[in-house]
């Protein structure tokens, strides 16, 4: 039996907004296995991004807990959470993913730098991953010198460079044209297949939903469907 | 990691080149102004000290007790000649000179003026005051019947060197009026209004004869070696002359107005620094706050990647410090470039009056390396302190909240 990499137990996240309580997540239980290529789908406000933020340790639940690789995020300090994100979780956001003052290579190296890896190792690893995403010859370019699709590829390279347990991708294709989106998805699927990286997407994009090995639908903060393929 | 932080901070501050240039220029201008201000005030103080000590007071004076408050002519210094010799032999004393003081009337034709009379030793006085260097016309008195006048007094009496003038004084023992015909040797301009407008300087023996005070002197004036800034060393140098019948006063007490003004300049400097710092601090706070607001999402991304609050705060802090260092370096260069011609060629204040002293000649700025270093350090500390507040705020950003801002 495969060991779940993420366990979500009775997760609730409520916000106070203009005097009213908004239930972004309202009692979610979910288990995600290592190597899954999973999509969280649902309309705006269904709780996809909140779910991703909570799994990524970027936000705190109102009740319930998230366990990553056996570690309960609720029990971690701010610093430990930062270390967990650094070592075990990769992030790809919708846009403006990259640090604008760093080159593509420096962006990919950034997390490894936080980990304290040696310069030579960082460089070699960054160049290898940039080669895998097809951008080895653009290593010294800053984000403004790259197209949107190229920037997202660098973001994916950065997300997997430190060999995380999971990569959380929040609508990664939302700002790309369909050709660039498909190419990015091909890349992530290949990394999933070849390197066994677990991908968790939040998305509206039917292309991602169609290619996901598991589709979890959210509606009004609850799981409305869970389809494994 | 610190190398990358430094690199990122440096690149970040140049992301908005215009804003960085405006902020660092404000730091630079403030520092440059302070460097020039420090140098100018050091130059003015030095000149003020020269004017006060060399135009009349010397470094210190001795009078008979009660003379200064009563101005009685008979209150001469007891055993003045012997005291003068003892004073001249003291270590640290460069020169001494006796003076006999009185008031009198100068008249020529139907024009007359009341004057303060300075009976001086024509040779010794040259080592105390610079009157002989401040001649506007004619020459320094050389003989018993010659007199030197302030140029404004001479103008008022319409006198020119070589003209004759009648001096009337009251004999000290009897109070009888005595007249003497004097010849105007020359006129001088000292920058000290009381000397220029109402004083007549003549040989001490001439005045002694007219006042009936043989060997009399009301005042012994000193020139001392070394610094004259503080009264205590002056008092200490002359302590061995102390006697119950004498009053020994350093120039700081003889002209407390100028002394207090010089002391107050430290306060003025502090207030000016505070005002300039406040203006600059507002600029830096604005720059950092704008940067923080604009880059909120970016900070969210950095936090998501595993950057700790401390590392993020360190980045912002380094940006603020870099901004401060850039501004300070520019300020030092600009300040020295502006200061240099003012130190070499001087600044013509064109008769500017300050604390009762007229700056009739050029003021030369005096570079203050210690003060400059201190102000530069304060500027860097200021930026760091302002940056620290912003850095702490950045460190407290919650990643999920920050990632909603793009």
């Amino acid at each position: 039996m495969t060991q779940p990499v993420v366990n979500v137990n009775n997760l609730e996240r409520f916000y106070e907004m203009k005097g009213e309580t908004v239930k972004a997540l309202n009692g979610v239980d979910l288990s995600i296995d290592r190597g899954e290529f999973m999509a969280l789908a649902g309309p705006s406000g269904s709780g996809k991004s909140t779910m991703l933020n909570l799994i990524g340790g970027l936000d705190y639940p109102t009740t319930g807990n998230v366990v990553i690789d056996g570690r309960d995020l609720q029990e971690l300090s701010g610093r430990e959470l930062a270390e967990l994100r650094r070592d075990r979780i990769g992030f790809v956001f919708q846009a403006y993913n990259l640090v604008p003052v760093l080159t593509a290579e420096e962006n990919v190296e950034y997390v490894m730098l936080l980990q304290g890896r040696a310069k030579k190792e960082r460089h070699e690893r960054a160049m290898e991953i940039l080669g895998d995403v097809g951008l080895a010859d653009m290593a010294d370019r800053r984000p403004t010198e790259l197209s949107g699709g190229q920037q997202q590829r660098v973001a994916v390279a950065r997300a997997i460079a430190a060999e995380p347990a999971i990569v959380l991708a929040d609508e990664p294709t939302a700002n790309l044209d369909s050709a660039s989106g498909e190419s990015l998805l091909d890349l992530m699927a290949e990394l999933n297949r070849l390197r066994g990286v677990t991908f968790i997407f939040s998305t509206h994009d039917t292309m991602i939903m169609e290619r996901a090995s598991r589709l979890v639908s959210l509606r009004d903060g609850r799981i409305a469907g869970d389809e494994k393929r | 990691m610190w190398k990358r932080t430094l690199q990122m901070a440096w690149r970040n501050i140049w992301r908005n080149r215009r804003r960085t240039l405006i902020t660092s220029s404000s730091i630079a201008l403030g520092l440059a102004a302070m460097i020039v201000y420090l140098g100018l005030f050091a130059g003015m103080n030095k000149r003020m000290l020269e004017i006060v000590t060399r135009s009349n007071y010397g470094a210190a004076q001795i009078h008979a007790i009660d003379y200064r408050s009563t101005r009685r002519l008979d209150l001469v210094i007891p055993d003045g000649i012997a005291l003068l010799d003892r004073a001249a032999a003291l270590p640290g004393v460069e020169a001494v000179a006796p003076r006999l003081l009185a008031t009198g009337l100068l008249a020529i034709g139907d024009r007359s003026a009341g004057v303060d009379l300075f009976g001086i030793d024509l040779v010794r006085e040259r080592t105390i005051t610079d009157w002989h260097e401040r001649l506007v016309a004619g020459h320094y008195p050389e003989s018993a019947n010659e007199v030197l006048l302030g140029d404004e007094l001479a103008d008022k009496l319409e006198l020119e060197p070589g003209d004759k003038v009648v001096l009337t004084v009251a004999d000290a023992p009897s109070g009888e009026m005595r007249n003497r015909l004097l010849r105007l040797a020359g006129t001088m301009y000292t920058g000290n209004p009381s000397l220029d407008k109402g004083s007549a300087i003549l040989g001490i023996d001439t005045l002694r004869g007219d006042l009936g005070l043989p060997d009399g002197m009301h005042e012994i004036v000193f020139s001392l070696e070394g610094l004259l800034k503080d009264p205590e060393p002056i008092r200490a140098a002359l302590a061995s002359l102390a006697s119950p019948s004498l009053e020994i006063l350093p120039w700081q007490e003889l002209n407390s107005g100028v002394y207090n003004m010089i002391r107050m300049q430290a306060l003025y400097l502090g207030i000016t620094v505070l005002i300039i710092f406040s203006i600059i601090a507002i600029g830096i706070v604005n720059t950092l706050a704008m940067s923080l607001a604009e880059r909120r999402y970016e900070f969210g991304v950095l936090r998501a990647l595993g950057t700790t609050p401390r590392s993020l705060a360190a980045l912002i802090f380094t940006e603020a410090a870099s901004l401060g260092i850039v501004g300070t370096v520019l300020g030092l260069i600009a300040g020295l470039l502006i200061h240099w011609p003012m130190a070499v060629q001087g600044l013509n204040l064109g008769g500017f009056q300050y604390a009762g002293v007229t700056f009739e000649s050029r003021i030369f700025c005096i570079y203050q390396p210690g003060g400059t270093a201190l102000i530069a350090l304060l500027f860097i500390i200021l930026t760091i302190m302002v940056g620290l507040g912003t850095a702490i705020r950045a460190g407290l950003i919650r990643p999920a909240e920050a990632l909603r801002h793009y």
Side-chain angles (χ1 to χ4, degrees):
Chain A
M1 186 179 167
T2 318
Q3 174 74 28
V5 69
V6 179
N7 256 319
V8 171
N9 306 302
N10 191 31
L11 202 60
E12 291 184 338
R13 181 64 170 103
F14 302 159
Y15 300 102
E16 290 296 321
M17 195 177 282
K18 294 179 182 170
E20 287 190 20
T21 303
V22 178
K23 296 181 176 178
L25 283 180
N26 192 7
V28 174
D29 292 291
L30 189 67
S31 178
I32 303 165
D33 291 336
R34 203 173 298 279
E36 283 199 42
F37 199 66
M38 192 195 93
L40 284 169
S44 291
S46 59
K48 301 185 302 291
S49 292
T50 304
M51 181 84 166
L52 231 52
N53 284 341
L54 289 170
I55 293 174
L58 299 174
D59 199 2
Y60 295 91
T62 309
T63 56
N65 67 340
V66 176
V67 179
I68 306 277
D69 259 355
R71 298 183 75 187
D72 187 344
L73 304 196
Q74 288 291 86
E75 293 172 1
L76 302 182
S77 67
R79 184 180 182 83
E80 287 170 329
L81 266 181
E83 286 171 0
L84 181 102
R85 287 197 298 270
R86 181 192 72 186
D87 297 337
R88 307 301 293 147
I89 304 169
F91 288 90
V92 180
F93 300 102
Q94 193 170 333
Y96 310 113
N97 259 298
L98 305 178
V99 182
V101 293
L102 300 181
T103 63
E105 185 194 343
E106 288 165 347
N107 263 288
V108 175
E109 278 188 15
Y110 185 78
V111 178
M112 292 187 280
L113 185 73
L114 293 177
Q115 289 175 325
R117 294 201 202 181
K119 188 177 178 182
K120 186 166 180 276
E121 182 194 351
R122 291 198 313 259
H123 172 70
E124 285 172 359
R125 174 84 179 145
M127 292 310 293
E128 178 198 336
I129 306 277
L130 279 172
D132 286 352
V133 301
L135 291 174
D137 56 342
M138 297 188 178
D140 58 353
R141 293 199 187 175
R142 297 249 184 119
T144 50
E145 297 166 320
L146 299 169
S147 70
Q150 288 167 336
Q151 286 185 38
Q152 289 300 71
R153 282 173 171 267
V154 175
V156 170
R158 183 184 63 193
I160 62 165
E163 298 167 13
I166 52 174
V167 171
L168 303 175
D170 190 2
E171 306 200 31
T173 56
N175 284 356
L176 302 181
D177 58 52
S178 54
S180 300
E182 188 162 4
S183 167
L184 184 74
L185 199 55
D186 287 342
L187 169 70
M188 292 192 277
E190 192 179 339
L191 291 168
N192 170 253
R193 187 170 52 81
L194 295 177
R195 294 175 181 262
V197 181
T198 307
F199 279 89
I200 304 171
F201 298 91
S202 105
T203 188
H204 282 116
D205 189 340
T206 51
M207 188 166 57
I208 295 179
M209 292 184 226
E210 282 165 9
R211 295 181 64 168
S213 63
R214 181 179 177 190
L215 180 64
V216 174
S217 304
L218 286 171
R219 184 171 291 275
D220 299 329
R222 295 174 188 274
I223 292 181
D226 187 348
E227 179 193 345
K228 286 194 179 176
R229 294 154 176 178
Chain B
M1 185 65 200
W2 65 269
K3 271 188 189 171
R4 181 54 49 88
T5 302
L6 206 61
Q7 183 190 47
M8 283 171 71
W10 182 252
R11 290 179 188 174
N12 275 330
I13 67 168
W14 296 108
R15 274 163 76 175
N16 194 325
R17 198 173 294 266
R18 199 166 88 168
R19 195 159 64 203
T20 295
L21 283 174
I22 289 172
T23 309
S24 50
S25 298
S26 74
I27 298 170
L29 280 176
L31 179 58
M34 290 307 304
I35 291 171
V36 174
Y37 186 78
L38 275 177
L40 184 62
F41 269 79
M44 277 178 74
N45 280 350
K46 181 171 179 277
R47 186 71 197 111
M48 206 182 304
L49 211 67
E50 283 172 2
I51 291 173
V52 169
T53 56
R54 298 268 289 156
S55 77
N56 186 1
Y57 294 104
Q61 294 182 355
I62 293 179
H63 303 92
I65 202 90
D66 293 335
Y67 171 76
R68 275 173 23 95
S69 55
T70 63
R71 294 278 162 179
R72 273 171 45 198
L73 289 178
D74 60 320
L75 284 178
V76 293
I77 294 172
D79 288 326
I81 303 285
L83 185 68
L84 195 68
D85 290 341
R86 275 174 59 209
L90 284 178
V93 172
E94 275 183 339
V96 289
R99 287 180 187 165
L100 190 64
L101 308 172
T103 54
L105 185 75
L106 276 182
I108 177 166
D110 58 353
R111 301 180 300 281
S112 63
V115 290
D116 291 322
L117 296 166
F118 286 75
I120 61 167
D121 180 319
L122 295 174
V123 177
R124 285 178 183 256
E125 188 66 37
R126 283 171 177 261
T127 59
I128 305 284
T129 56
D130 60 358
W131 295 338
H132 58 287
E133 294 167 358
R134 301 195 154 267
L135 296 171
V136 176
H139 61 84
Y140 199 64
E142 289 165 354
S143 63
N145 288 322
E146 285 188 324
V147 65
L148 177 71
L149 299 182
D151 69 334
E152 288 183 54
L153 176 63
D155 284 349
K156 185 181 165 191
L157 293 172
E158 298 174 19
L159 288 171
E160 291 192 356
D163 288 349
K164 289 178 180 168
V165 62
V166 176
L167 170 67
T168 305
V169 293
D171 174 81
S174 65
E176 283 181 22
M177 305 305 281
R178 291 186 180 179
N179 294 323
R180 176 184 289 273
L181 190 62
L182 295 169
R183 188 179 296 276
L184 181 63
T187 61
M188 65 174 183
Y189 175 77
T190 64
N192 179 334
S194 69
L195 281 173
D196 297 337
K197 288 180 182 170
S199 296
I201 290 149
L202 66 165
I204 190 168
D205 290 332
T206 307
L207 196 56
R208 278 173 177 156
D210 291 345
L211 295 178
L213 294 170
D215 295 337
M217 61 185 78
H218 293 117
E219 193 166 276
I220 296 175
V221 195
F222 288 80
S223 170
L224 299 174
E225 289 169 4
L227 293 174
L228 298 170
K229 275 184 185 169
D230 301 308
E232 287 75 20
I234 299 176
R235 278 201 199 92
L238 306 181
S240 63
L241 302 176
S243 135
S245 59
L246 296 175
E247 182 182 48
I248 304 175
L249 294 173
W251 75 265
Q252 290 91 341
E253 287 182 50
L254 294 162
N255 192 335
S256 57
V258 168
Y259 179 55
N260 288 335
M261 193 58 71
I262 290 174
R263 288 173 66 195
M264 288 286 281
Q265 278 174 11
L267 182 66
Y268 296 156
L269 194 66
I271 293 170
T272 310
V273 168
L274 197 67
I275 293 169
I276 291 179
F277 273 18
S278 303
I279 294 168
I280 292 169
I282 291 167
I284 300 167
V285 166
N286 179 55
T287 299
L288 294 176
M290 292 276 283
S291 171
L292 202 66
E294 285 170 4
R295 292 160 59 200
R296 210 168 175 78
Y297 179 81
E298 184 183 322
F299 296 151
V301 171
L302 288 171
R303 293 280 283 114
L305 294 176
T307 307
T308 58
R310 186 181 288 190
S311 298
L312 189 57
L315 176 68
I316 307 303
F317 179 77
T318 312
E319 286 178 23
S322 306
L323 207 56
I325 290 167
V326 167
T328 303
V329 169
L330 289 176
L332 283 172
I333 295 168
L336 294 177
L337 284 176
I338 299 168
H339 187 278
W340 182 69
M342 293 168 77
V344 174
Q345 295 184 359
L347 191 68
N348 191 351
L349 297 183
F352 169 69
Q353 279 201 340
Y354 183 70
V357 174
T358 308
F359 292 90
E360 81 290 351
S361 59
R362 285 176 179 271
I363 299 297
F364 292 89
C365 287
I366 302 170
Y367 178 55
Q368 304 290 299
T372 300
L374 182 67
I375 300 272
L377 192 67
L378 284 174
F379 269 67
I380 292 174
I381 290 172
L382 169 84
T383 8
I384 283 174
M385 281 172 62
V386 171
L388 197 61
T390 316
I392 290 169
R393 277 172 54 212
L396 293 174
I397 285 175
R398 295 180 66 170
E401 195 271 328
L403 287 166
R404 281 199 278 272
H405 293 80
Y406 84 83

